[in-house]
Amino acid sequence: MFDIGFSELLVCLVVALVVIGPERLPETVRTVGLWIGRLKRSLRETRSEIERQIGADDIRRQLHNEEIMQRIEETRLEMEKTLHQASLTASPQDQPRVYEHQELPDHAHMDEKPAVTAEAAKPAEPVAPTETSTKAPDKTP
């Protein structure tokens, strides 16, 4: 926005030093810095208030969602086109087979293994080891 180079900034500082004087220059720079800070804060608050009132976040979110939906639709169309071209160039052996659904009778499931009962599913309890003495005899004189 503002294109202020180093040389232009240096000229402004020299002019300020000559006009204001070296005694009051630090105080003036500090005051100008405070004003600039207050101005930035005020502009930021005003901008956030305006955005809140017009619902800029909602508009941005909606535009983003519309862009995503457009990309999805483009991808879907491209995939359909590719699949259509592939089906035209494919040989009859490569065509997908269509199988009819056949309902099995109730007795068709009789060959299955029986379900495991709760007692058989229990893990065996560990057996406590018996104490056996493997110590060498005490050799006390």
Side-chain angles (χ1 to χ4, degrees):
M1 192 158 111
F2 296 107
D3 189 22
I4 299 175
F6 180 73
S7 60
E8 295 166 345
L9 188 61
L10 189 61
V11 169
C12 290
L13 288 175
V14 169
V15 169
L17 183 62
V18 170
V19 172
I20 296 174
E23 297 87 25
R24 293 188 347 197
L25 185 63
E27 181 183 329
T28 306
V29 169
R30 191 177 311 118
T31 305
V32 169
L34 288 174
W35 286 350
I36 291 174
R38 289 176 185 164
L39 179 66
K40 283 183 179 181
R41 193 175 322 117
S42 174
L43 289 174
R44 186 174 46 244
E45 289 174 1
T46 305
R47 178 181 174 197
S48 66
E49 181 67 28
I50 290 171
E51 285 181 352
R52 197 175 316 120
Q53 287 181 1
I54 64 169
D57 291 336
D58 294 334
I59 293 170
R60 280 191 206 112
R61 192 176 306 117
Q62 185 179 2
L63 288 173
H64 180 70
N65 290 343
E66 287 176 4
E67 180 182 338
I68 290 173
M69 292 304 292
Q70 183 181 6
R71 287 182 189 168
I72 290 172
E73 183 65 21
E74 289 172 359
T75 305
R76 184 186 66 79
L77 292 173
E78 185 178 327
M79 287 180 65
E80 285 179 357
K81 185 174 109 178
T82 305
L83 288 174
H84 181 69
Q85 288 175 350
S87 67
L88 292 177
T89 60
S91 63
Q93 293 89 7
D94 295 336
Q95 295 294 329
R97 296 184 184 131
V98 178
Y99 296 101
E100 292 183 25
H101 177 69
Q102 294 178 347
E103 187 67 37
L104 295 176
D106 288 338
H107 61 60
H109 300 287
M110 296 302 287
D111 292 337
E112 294 178 2
K113 295 182 181 178
V116 178
T117 61
E119 292 176 8
K122 276 187 180 177
E125 292 183 22
V127 178
T130 59
E131 288 190 32
T132 57
S133 178
T134 57
K135 292 183 184 177
D138 288 337
K139 294 183 183 178
T140 52

